Amino acid sequence: MSDNTLNKALQIMSYDTGPGSDHYAHDFRSIASTLLNEEGSFAAEKQIAAVRLCLAFL
């Protein structure tokens, strides 16, 4: 999912995503990754590894 898609969703929920705001799509991804890792779920890392594997064949 792109940053633009997540930022649009945040804007629909009345969060400010403009310059100088406290809410950005990247921040939410970081928080989700941290929470998943703390719970022992490595889904985010598996997805990143799969993307890297695909890019290696380009």
Side-chain angles (χ1 to χ4, degrees):
M1 190 176 299
S2 75
D3 283 348
N4 289 337
T5 301
L6 291 174
N7 283 332
K8 183 63 178 177
L10 290 170
Q11 290 168 358
I12 289 170
M13 294 184 289
S14 300
Y15 285 96
D16 180 17
T17 60
S21 75
D22 293 332
H23 307 288
Y24 294 101
H26 179 77
D27 297 334
F28 284 89
R29 283 195 190 110
S30 298
I31 292 167
S33 177
T34 300
L35 291 173
L36 287 170
N37 286 328
E38 287 176 353
E39 291 182 6
S41 172
F42 298 102
E45 281 69 23
K46 288 179 184 176
Q47 184 177 12
I48 292 168
V51 169
R52 286 182 181 153
L53 181 62
C54 290
L55 292 175
F57 290 104
L58 292 179

